[in-house]
Amino acid sequence: MTTTPRILETLCEWTSSDVADEELWTERFDTSDQTELDAALRHALAKSDDILVLDREDFPLPTLGHRLRRIEDELINGRGFVRLRGVDRKAYTQTEMEVLYWGIGTHLGLPWPQNKYGHVLGDVTDQNKSTVDPTARGNELGGVALPFHCDGSDLVGLMCLENGRSGGLSAVANSVRIHNQLVADRPELAAALYDELPYDFRGEEPVGGRPYYLVPVFTEWESRLFVRCIPPYIFASQRHPGAPRLTDLQKEALATLVQMADHPTNHVLMDLLPGDMQFINNYHVLHGRTAYVDERTSGQVRHLKRLWLETTALSSRPPHFANRRTHWSKNRTASRLQVR
């Protein structure tokens, strides 16, 4: 089916100059906020430190809850990303930080499994995987830069537990502006990305299932734009004989999208200090990171926690982005690596 793409959600567009002031996208927790968060943490821990049995009601935020709902609306209908700052990392153990992060996350959405293990809380740190390993995923790779991409949920959250010795800046790019520029300037490339493209399952497909899945990069649904783009996985799908072959036009479209995301006009870099949390709208914002260096002897090992969340701020989404119960959901678990 031929798609005639059109410009969508212009209110969600931004350039790097539009968001150059970090205070526009940094929500700071003052002393009162920190006291409320600490009280919610103690309330949750009185029940359990097992996040799998904790939900939003176990993490009461009578004042901050309203602010988080406003932030959720901004993620879906506005800029699409936020950094939360003000949690004192040194005041809490790793377990306490994980529960605190989980609690905040539950006020923004419902946790979504991230892999075949059913991890609803994930770890982003060097897990001794090689970049040439066809089953390696970005959260398991250490040191290398990660190109702009999307994850597999409505919202994606990261919380910094520790930074490496150097590098590792987080990068976010505005996929709405990229889409609309393509529609205006190269509509044939935009249309090519409305076709279903194959993505490598990275060895995490259902038993007996095909090793790739099909999802468009761009989808229009009820006048909203939905984006899913993981270029390395798309190109890796070509190792499977049964996967549809990418056309020259699709390859050019993907290369152009990557080039546009990499352009300084379309993205911004941010540091995540220990205790900081970042949340993004996966459909409107591509994310990546710069290369980094760990130093294990000094304990400077980059370690972030990850949440995939289903937002309640979206009343409808394309069927291929529904949080269906899949083989990834069979074993609901939490990854709680202790990095040394």
Side-chain angles (χ1 to χ4, degrees), residues 276-304:
D276 284 356
M277 303 174 199
Q278 176 197 82
F279 290 94
I280 67 170
N281 177 348
N282 203 40
Y283 304 126
H284 285 179
V285 174
L286 300 162
H287 66 281
R289 74 166 185 233
T290 65
Y292 69 92
V293 176
D294 282 336
E295 189 173 273
R296 293 189 180 271
T297 55
S298 64
Q300 294 175 288
V301 178
R302 191 175 189 269
H303 186 192
L304 292 85

Side-chain angles (χ1 to χ4, degrees), residues 2-297:
T2 302
T3 298
T4 302
R6 63 193 186 110
I7 291 174
L8 298 167
E9 298 196 85
T10 55
L11 292 178
C12 297
E13 288 189 26
W14 51 260
T15 66
S16 57
S17 60
D18 294 330
V19 295
D21 180 1
E22 295 189 1
E23 292 306 310
L24 291 174
W25 40 264
T26 301
E27 294 277 345
R28 298 184 182 274
F29 295 137
D30 61 21
T31 302
S32 176
D33 299 327
Q34 293 171 41
T35 298
E36 184 173 342
L37 286 169
D38 189 75
L41 172 64
R42 302 306 161 193
H43 185 275
L45 290 174
K47 177 177 180 179
S48 179
D49 65 2
D50 179 1
I51 64 164
L52 299 179
V53 302
L54 300 173
D55 56 28
R56 184 168 60 183
E57 286 66 37
D58 299 310
F59 202 85
L61 295 174
T63 300
L64 274 176
H66 298 288
R67 186 172 169 194
L68 289 172
R69 281 193 289 276
R70 176 180 59 77
I71 289 170
E72 183 182 12
D73 180 73
E74 175 65 28
L75 291 174
I76 297 302
N77 298 307
R79 184 180 52 251
F81 70 97
V82 68
R83 178 177 61 189
L84 309 182
R85 174 164 283 177
V87 173
D88 183 1
R89 171 68 182 94
K90 294 179 180 179
Y92 299 109
T93 66
Q94 178 173 325
T95 295
E96 290 171 332
M97 287 295 298
E98 289 170 342
V99 173
L100 195 156
Y101 176 49
W102 177 266
I104 289 175
T106 61
H107 282 264
L108 292 171
L110 303 173
W112 194 315
Q114 302 172 23
N115 53 29
K116 66 180 180 180
Y117 305 108
H119 287 160
V120 289
L121 179 67
D123 285 283
V124 181
T125 192
D126 186 353
Q127 299 178 47
N128 297 313
K129 287 291 190 81
S130 167
T131 55
V132 298
D133 182 343
T135 69
R137 297 176 61 185
N139 66 297
E140 302 170 320
L141 298 175
V144 297
L146 293 182
F148 285 108
H149 65 281
C150 304
D151 284 358
S153 58
D154 295 345
L155 305 179
V156 180
L158 293 172
M159 176 184 69
C160 180
L161 289 173
E162 184 58 68
N163 277 318
R165 188 184 72 191
S166 61
L169 293 176
S170 179
V172 292
N174 185 233
S175 46
V176 182
R177 183 172 190 269
I178 291 170
H179 168 271
N180 289 344
Q181 282 190 303
L182 281 174
V183 171
D185 301 335
R186 298 293 305 275
E188 77 283 6
L189 297 186
L193 296 179
Y194 273 85
D195 295 333
E196 288 187 331
L197 296 186
Y199 292 70
D200 191 346
F201 243 129
R202 314 304 287 172
E204 299 199 355
E205 64 271 14
V207 176
R210 62 189 185 187
Y212 64 92
Y213 58 95
L214 299 172
V215 176
V217 169
F218 296 143
T219 303
E220 179 182 344
W221 183 261
E222 298 182 355
S223 298
R224 286 183 178 269
L225 174 65
F226 290 77
V227 178
R228 172 67 48 78
C229 190
I230 316 176
Y233 290 12
I234 295 173
F235 287 109
S237 74
Q238 302 300 276
R239 69 190 177 99
H240 304 297
R245 298 298 94 180
L246 297 173
T247 67
D248 289 341
L249 187 63
Q250 289 168 339
K251 292 177 183 177
E252 182 184 0
L254 285 168
T256 303
L257 183 151
V258 169
Q259 183 181 40
M260 293 173 72
D262 284 337
H263 194 280
T265 300
N266 290 325
H267 73 258
V268 64
L269 299 175
M270 73 173 73
D271 63 332
L272 294 177
L273 303 177
D276 284 356
M277 303 174 199
Q278 176 197 82
F279 290 94
I280 67 170
N281 177 348
N282 203 40
Y283 304 126
H284 285 179
V285 174
L286 300 162
H287 66 281
R289 74 166 185 233
T290 65
Y292 69 92
V293 176
D294 282 336
E295 189 173 273
R296 293 189 180 271
T297 55

